[in-house]
Amino acid sequence: MIDEEKLEILVEGAKYDVSCSSSGSRRTNVKGGIGNGAVSGICHSFTPDGRCISLLKILMSNDCIYDCEYCPNKRSADVRRARLTPDEVCELVINFYKRNYIEGLFLSSAVFDSPDKTMELLYETVLKLRKVYNFNGYIHLKGIPHADSAIVMKAARLADRMSYNIELPSEQSLKLLAPQKTKQSLLLPMKGLNGAIEYDKQNKVRRGKVLPAGQTTQMIIGASPESDGQILRLTEALYNNMKLKRVYYSSYVPVVKSNKLPTVGAGLLREHRLYQADWLIRFYGFNVSEICEEGENLSPEYDPKCAWALRNMHLFPVEINTAPLEMLLRVPGIGAKSAYRITETRRFCALDFDNLAKMRIVLKRAKHFITCKGKFYGSDSYTQVKCSLMLAAGGANEQLSMFSETSTAVSALTGEL
Amino acid sequence: MKIFVTDGTVTAFFTAVFDAYREKNCVITSDTRVQLSFDSEVIHVVGEREKNKRVQNAVYKCDRQAVDDIVLALRSGDPSKEQTAFEYLKKLLEIKSPISKMLSLPQVIDFNETVRRVTLEAHRLKGLLRFMESREGVLYAPYSPDNDITDLLMPHFAARYNSERFVIHDVKRKIAGMYDGHEWITGYAGEAEIYLSEYEQAFKNLWKKYYNSVNIKERPHIKQMKGYMPVRYWKFLPEKNGK
Ligand code: SF4
């Protein structure tokens, strides 16, 4: 059994990776095996920072030969080092899983010895977990840049999800802050994996599919000068070209001192706004160009949907009883669930303002953008609307209410609007 | 006013509906602590197979999903759950086609909310339930949910731990679900005596270490943590109860 200090070192090194979701895999258990995947994802605990614990997030080793500027595990850092054996990881996973502490494993690693060696050991661990320990729960593997693509592919046949982290939103920043990683060393494997996933899809492969829960990536926000507009354009390209399931944003926390890095963190609000914009792109049919100009940042005062609506007041108000679903989704304050409930309910009767209130649809913001049976309850004054939008969404306090519908809260990081 | 008091079973509920359906002013409840007013008349309902079946059939004819939903609502810990289900059922029989999406009806809103709370808690507990391992290798999870959800959790864990033996124990209702590696049953269970595996405390400690290490201290957000993981569940969480 591993000792607590080793665990602490290897968890401390992994915790800034934000992808915690365990959803999207329907892996079924086999007789004599342990574990399965839940499509909707399950949170097993929440830490005092408000994040969900779903996976055991741990590094195989924190002993790195690379020297990424922002990383506490970089070669030049003077920190405690530790490494696990595949069996140590397996034992921990199985015992945590049996007690229902976790939904699965998120295994990552610093690059020790060489990229191939590191990837090889990650693969060996996953192979053992699946074949020797008969584990059928969720496994998310971090991809190691520059590792042999054949090993990567073997690992991808056993894992549910893999991620190559983009880390920094531009090539220049990568050069400056993560000199051993290149854009190509991150994008090529992503492309290769996407090719394999697409192949399985086209050929209707059922057993032993490559990465049933797809690929994700992560970017550090605020360690380098890129604007939100640039970041979101990169995001959109990754969704379109690499078919990523999620792009995660991690606002920079200054844990390492360096003159190449800012001394203050990027703050949660910026990260939150990016998730909201990301949500609009993925689910509400927005284009990046509607949300944010290339060189600009998202507005801190309003969420990106409000900001868009304020720029497009000529499209409002819309009649709640006749507006198409796509338009309802664009009304500030009306989320996917509310929009769906409205379209379902209005089939039976025309809705008035009272009905909406009884359906628990929050109207504080929405009332300025809708009519109910032709009646308008909002304000005609643009400044009044702006003011009430700002008050309804109160900066940092807004976060809990954004996420307060726990029934859908698979991850605290969705940015649902 | 007539008060129909059931024993909390599904059969008794539908039987009570049969008897109460034509009454103008009445209440169905399984809560024996109901407040009686001076003009109330208490009627104890015993489940009857025939009445149960007839009401269920009538409901099924209006909406195939409704019986299942009502059974879910009856798992609620809310003392007025029978009345909520009764109001919903009456409305359904009046309209004679599915009403679950008619969100302008207060009966539907209340009923859906009751069902939602039950399914929400079941979903939450799939994550928050904690097992410990006994000396014999049986996994044991005591808990105290708001709603009667043990039957809802059993299939999930039976699929997940299909070659383990485990017990999920609702210590408040004294109900246990047991899985022997092949099939599961639920039944009465008062006290449970358990001898823990010699590794149990060590894994608990590793888990607590994990919990504390993975937290980012610079970014406290206690309110959000408590929103997702209400304090009433902490008693059984090793990372929260200090054991
Ligand atoms: S590769 Fe870079 S980011 Fe990853 S552990 Fe090594 S130094 Fe840190």
Side-chain angles (χ1 to χ4, degrees):
Chain A
M1 194 184 296
I2 81 168
D3 64 70
E4 289 183 30
E5 189 190 351
K6 218 162 150 182
L7 181 75
E8 183 174 12
I9 296 171
L10 294 167
V11 170
E12 290 280 348
K15 72 179 175 188
Y16 293 99
D17 210 310
V18 286
S19 38
C20 66
S21 143
S22 64
S23 59
S25 190
R26 214 184 283 269
R27 190 174 291 277
T28 47
N29 201 354
V30 294
K31 198 69 215 160
I34 177 165
N36 56 6
V39 197
S40 60
I42 292 175
C43 284
H44 287 257
S45 192
F46 290 86
T47 35
D49 55 15
R51 297 193 302 167
C52 146
I53 298 185
S54 182
L55 306 174
L56 168 64
K57 213 184 274 187
I58 195 167
L59 298 177
M60 194 90 211
S61 158
N62 72 334
D63 199 354
C64 203
I65 56 170
Y66 287 178
D67 216 21
C68 306
E69 202 61 37
Y70 48 82
C71 176
N73 299 321
K74 61 183 175 181
R75 191 182 52 210
S76 54
D78 177 26
V79 292
R80 296 176 295 174
R81 306 282 176 179
R83 187 190 296 191
L84 293 174
T85 65
D87 278 304
E88 280 173 325
V89 176
C90 294
E91 187 194 41
L92 198 59
V93 170
I94 296 291
N95 277 288
F96 274 16
Y97 195 85
K98 263 205 230 169
R99 287 164 178 77
N100 205 36
Y101 297 163
I102 54 167
E103 198 59 21
L105 170 67
F106 180 118
L107 186 60
S108 175
S109 184
V111 185
F112 53 86
D113 303 345
S114 74
D116 283 354
K117 266 273 178 54
T118 308
M119 196 67 229
E120 187 77 55
L121 204 68
L122 292 181
Y123 165 65
E124 196 189 318
T125 307
V126 181
L127 183 69
K128 254 204 168 135
L129 251 183
R130 291 280 192 236
K131 303 285 155 142
V132 180
Y133 291 82
N134 277 317
F135 179 69
N136 294 299
Y138 191 90
I139 300 180
H140 181 151
L141 254 195
K142 192 68 167 298
I144 304 295
H146 300 295
D148 179 4
S149 61
I151 316 172
V152 174
M153 208 48 83
K154 280 200 286 186
R157 295 214 171 273
L158 298 169
D160 292 277
R161 172 171 280 183
M162 275 185 81
S163 55
Y164 275 89
N165 284 355
I166 293 283
E167 309 284 18
L168 296 159
S170 81
E171 179 125 53
Q172 299 94 290
S173 298
L174 213 51
K175 251 195 207 118
L176 180 72
L177 298 175
Q180 287 94 344
K181 294 177 186 164
T182 58
K183 202 169 138 200
Q184 286 313 315
S185 71
L186 302 167
L187 291 183
L188 278 181
M190 232 185 236
K191 216 172 178 176
L193 289 171
N194 184 41
I197 293 170
E198 288 294 313
Y199 176 88
D200 282 0
K201 214 187 268 166
Q202 267 152 34
N203 293 283
K204 302 209 166 56
V205 174
R206 304 193 128 246
R207 301 185 59 106
K209 259 204 294 198
V210 174
L211 305 179
Q215 299 188 78
T216 60
T217 194
Q218 171 174 325
M219 279 183 250
I220 305 167
I221 302 308
S224 51
E226 292 79 9
S227 66
D228 291 346
Q230 257 171 296
I231 291 166
L232 288 169
R233 277 168 181 75
L234 176 57
T235 296
E236 197 179 44
L238 288 167
Y239 284 136
N240 291 340
N241 304 335
M242 302 292 181
K243 304 274 178 304
L244 295 194
K245 287 284 193 288
R246 284 296 298 275
V247 173
Y248 290 94
Y249 310 93
S250 168
S251 72
Y252 168 68
V253 184
V255 273
V256 178
K257 281 207 177 61
S258 152
N259 54 15
K260 290 182 190 161
L261 289 167
T263 46
V264 288
L268 283 174
L269 188 58
R270 182 166 179 210
E271 180 185 302
H272 184 56
R273 289 281 179 258
L274 283 166
Y275 277 116
Q276 292 176 318
D278 182 275
W279 188 275
L280 296 182
I281 295 170
R282 284 187 300 148
F283 298 117
Y284 291 7
F286 279 84
N287 292 318
V288 178
S289 51
E290 291 177 281
I291 299 172
C292 193
E293 298 292 335
E294 174 128 31
E296 276 176 11
N297 284 327
L298 295 165
S299 142
E301 283 97 18
Y302 324 100
D303 70 62
K305 194 155 91 177
C306 281
W308 174 83
L310 284 171
R311 286 196 302 272
N312 292 279
M313 287 303 271
H314 59 283
L315 300 174
F316 296 103
V318 295
E319 169 57 42
I320 215 82
N321 287 296
T322 54
L325 180 64
E326 307 84 70
M327 201 57 210
L328 287 179
L329 285 172
R330 291 187 170 225
V331 174
I334 295 187
K337 256 204 195 149
S338 303
Y340 174 75
R341 288 205 333 243
I342 290 170
T343 53
E344 282 292 326
T345 313
R346 72 187 183 189
R347 290 173 27 209
F348 301 103
C349 67
L351 299 171
D352 58 26
F353 214 69
D354 268 0
N355 293 137
L356 293 183
K358 279 205 197 99
M359 286 158 70
R360 303 214 177 103
I361 288 169
V362 185
L363 295 162
K364 251 191 286 178
R365 279 173 287 166
K367 68 175 179 203
H368 302 294
F369 300 91
I370 56 171
T371 55
C372 301
K373 294 190 191 165
K375 275 212 188 101
F376 181 63
Y377 293 85
S379 166
D380 284 325
S381 143
Y382 183 70
T383 41
Q384 174 70 44
V385 173
K386 253 182 124 161
C387 180
S388 75
L389 288 188
M390 211 143 77
L391 291 174
N397 290 331
E398 158 191 351
Q399 300 220 0
L400 183 67
S401 59
M402 280 287 160
F403 301 137
S404 61
E405 281 202 54
T406 30
S407 53
T408 54
V410 168
S411 145
L413 287 164
T414 58
E416 176 168 1
L417 270 170
Chain B
M1 186 170 71
K2 287 189 177 165
I3 300 178
F4 293 86
V5 180
T6 79
D7 58 3
T9 59
V10 173
T11 314
F13 170 76
F14 283 111
T15 308
V17 171
F18 188 94
D19 295 339
Y21 191 63
R22 306 230 171 269
E23 297 287 339
K24 278 243 158 48
N25 192 6
C26 69
V27 169
I28 303 180
T29 182
S30 62
D31 188 358
T32 45
R33 298 158 307 175
V34 274
Q35 291 283 324
L36 297 180
S37 58
F38 64 93
D39 64 343
S40 49
E41 177 193 343
V42 173
I43 300 154
H44 286 277
V45 181
V46 184
E48 291 175 46
R49 273 246 299 300
E50 190 52 32
K51 288 179 180 174
N52 171 46
K53 212 170 91 191
R54 280 177 61 184
V55 176
Q56 286 206 24
N57 282 343
V59 170
Y60 187 83
K61 265 190 212 142
C62 304
D63 178 0
R64 293 179 178 204
Q65 182 59 41
V67 174
D68 289 347
D69 287 346
I70 289 170
V71 171
L72 266 182
L74 293 176
R75 298 190 165 281
S76 164
D78 178 357
S80 54
K81 60 180 184 256
E82 280 91 3
Q83 192 56 25
T84 307
F86 185 38
E87 298 292 345
Y88 180 79
L89 189 153
K90 278 196 286 193
K91 199 76 202 169
L92 177 65
L93 294 181
E94 178 194 319
I95 293 181
K96 296 195 173 59
S97 65
I99 58 170
S100 66
K101 288 182 176 149
M102 298 186 188
L103 298 177
S104 50
L105 300 173
Q107 297 91 334
V108 176
I109 293 178
D110 288 351
F111 180 78
N112 286 358
E113 179 61 15
T114 305
V115 173
R116 192 188 70 89
R117 281 186 192 202
V118 173
T119 48
L120 168 64
E121 188 179 46
H123 179 73
R124 267 191 181 150
L125 264 303
K126 281 179 190 171
L128 297 179
L129 200 68
R130 294 288 180 266
F131 289 87
M132 38 197 146
E133 193 176 44
S134 80
R135 237 187 255 163
E136 296 77 25
V138 178
L139 301 170
Y140 173 69
Y143 77 141
S144 175
D146 301 338
N147 307 296
D148 183 7
I149 55 172
T150 307
D151 291 277
L152 304 181
L153 294 177
M154 289 305 287
H156 171 79
F157 287 101
R160 182 155 281 205
Y161 302 147
N162 75 17
S163 45
E164 306 281 331
R165 289 170 296 158
F166 67 84
V167 176
I168 298 175
H169 191 183
D170 180 341
V171 293
K172 185 156 81 190
R173 291 177 186 75
K174 301 194 193 313
I175 292 173
M178 283 157 278
Y179 178 77
D180 61 1
H182 303 283
E183 55 191 2
W184 62 269
I185 49 161
T186 50
Y188 173 85
E191 303 279 294
E193 209 175 326
I194 172 161
Y195 297 96
L196 293 178
S197 134
E198 57 179 312
Y199 301 110
E200 187 53 33
Q201 195 57 46
F203 280 112
K204 251 186 209 162
N205 292 344
L206 281 171
W207 169 240
K208 284 190 276 190
K209 189 65 164 182
Y210 179 72
Y211 181 82
N212 291 322
S213 313
V214 82
N215 179 41
I216 298 181
K217 289 178 205 68
E218 298 80 3
R219 290 181 169 187
H221 206 335
I222 305 287
K223 210 168 129 196
Q224 183 162 301
M225 168 180 73
K226 289 184 178 168
Y228 288 131
M229 190 168 73
V231 177
R232 62 182 184 280
Y233 296 122
W234 289 13
K235 190 173 152 202
F236 297 100
L237 302 173
E239 69 271 31
K240 284 291 171 198
N241 63 13
K243 282 182 200 152

